[in-house]
Amino acid sequence: MKFTGLYEFTEAGLEAFKQAFDGELEEAIDLSNEAIARKIVGTTTFTVSNWNSANEMATAILGSIGSANIKSLLSRKGVWGWLAFVCRDVVYPVQKNGHRKLGEVWRWFPSEPEDYQKGQRHLIRMPVLLRSSFGDDADHLLLGNPSVPGELREQLTSQQDMFHASFQRVARLLYLEPGKMKLRRGAGGKGAGSSRRLAQVRKQLDVTWDLFALSPDQLLEKLPKEFDRFRSKTPESAILAISVDVQA
């Protein structure tokens, strides 16, 4: 499915979208009706593809932003409602029972942007926000299928204080295989040094340190020994490179 640009639902469009996904209306929404959806000025051609990962999806959307302001678009609910609708067969696929895999409402219907806890659950806006904010340092959060956020994203974006370049760079260094789009064994789950433990340790360290003021190598040094299983596999050159980049 190809579009001349990115669009956004009007209030009427958002309501029709919600009713369609709630099963109150058919999904045959007239996207050509300007009372329902309007093209965003400055955006370029957008094609819905059978993306293999949330990273591919977010990259495709960002590639269509054109001269539009991404920060402005992130706060506009109509954009993410429209994207959820046109990308529905990829992100919210129909299951064998004939119903879409929707889950919690905030996975598909965009919440108010200032409500972080609900906002971070949206399966399209959150990947785009992560990719636009952290670039390649969001790779470990966007590996999975667009319809499945994955444990690392759920663990490492659940608190707004985690939304920081140093923290996400450290997480990428710990859990992503160098040169591969693949997580290291043990990155998920509840074991020592896992992403779940990193989220818990971050809270503990935050009591004593201003984590926003630490560089990635400083934060790595402060992690307890249980993280050595991942830390020891991280090339020193990579740590130095990201530290210089953050300070720059």
Side-chain angles (χ1 to χ4, degrees):
M1 192 183 306
K2 190 172 183 178
F3 300 90
T4 58
L6 298 178
Y7 287 67
E8 63 181 322
F9 278 141
T10 62
E11 287 299 320
L14 275 175
E15 182 58 29
F17 162 57
K18 188 174 188 301
Q19 290 180 348
F21 267 35
D22 277 339
E24 299 173 24
L25 290 176
E26 293 185 5
E27 292 185 357
I29 298 175
D30 184 4
L31 298 178
S32 65
N33 184 348
E34 288 196 355
I36 296 294
R38 297 169 184 164
K39 184 179 178 182
I40 300 168
V41 176
T43 59
T44 60
T45 303
F46 173 64
T47 302
V48 179
S49 304
N50 190 24
W51 301 297
N52 292 316
S53 69
N55 191 33
E56 290 182 5
M57 175 186 68
T59 300
I61 293 170
L62 287 169
S64 298
I65 294 295
S67 61
N69 187 306
I70 181 60
K71 290 185 178 180
S72 171
L73 298 187
L74 285 167
S75 66
R76 288 154 62 173
K77 294 168 59 177
V79 178
W80 309 103
W82 181 84
L83 280 166
F85 184 74
V86 300
C87 299
R88 62 194 182 278
D89 289 335
V90 180
V91 186
Y92 313 97
V94 175
Q95 303 174 93
K96 291 182 180 179
N97 61 11
H99 299 290
R100 291 199 179 278
K101 183 182 178 181
L102 294 176
E104 183 187 19
V105 62
W106 306 118
R107 288 162 57 95
W108 53 273
F109 192 80
S111 67
E112 297 298 333
E114 63 269 15
D115 189 335
Y116 182 81
Q117 288 303 316
K118 293 176 182 176
Q120 63 95 15
R121 297 171 190 166
H122 198 273
L123 295 185
I124 299 179
R125 182 164 63 182
M126 190 58 175
V128 172
L129 175 59
L130 290 168
R131 184 73 188 176
S132 64
S133 299
F134 303 124
D136 292 345
D137 289 320
D139 284 348
H140 59 296
L141 304 172
L142 302 174
L143 292 176
N145 186 284
S147 65
V148 183
E151 184 177 2
L152 256 69
R153 195 195 309 172
E154 292 183 350
Q155 292 296 331
L156 300 180
T157 64
S158 60
Q159 304 158 29
Q160 194 165 6
D161 286 348
M162 295 175 175
F163 211 83
H164 188 265
S166 287
F167 178 78
Q168 293 301 342
R169 288 187 174 204
V170 164
R172 184 180 187 273
L173 281 172
L174 290 173
Y175 302 127
L176 194 68
E177 288 282 3
K180 302 177 183 179
M181 292 298 282
K182 177 182 177 182
L183 294 177
R184 288 171 169 157
R185 179 178 294 183
K190 302 179 181 179
S194 66
S195 58
R196 186 183 298 262
R197 284 290 300 142
L198 181 61
Q200 295 168 345
V201 168
R202 191 208 65 80
K203 283 185 177 181
Q204 297 167 3
L205 293 175
D206 200 35
V207 174
T208 306
W209 303 93
D210 178 3
L211 299 186
F212 286 179
L214 298 180
S215 65
D217 57 323
Q218 290 172 327
L219 182 52
L220 273 173
E221 289 176 359
K222 295 187 184 305
L223 296 179
K225 289 185 177 181
E226 67 176 278
F227 290 90
D228 285 351
R229 59 185 294 208
F230 298 108
R231 184 164 41 197
S232 63
K233 298 178 182 179
T234 302
E236 185 177 354
S237 58
I239 298 173
L240 290 173
I242 63 170
S243 297
V244 170
D245 188 34
V246 167
Q247 292 169 3

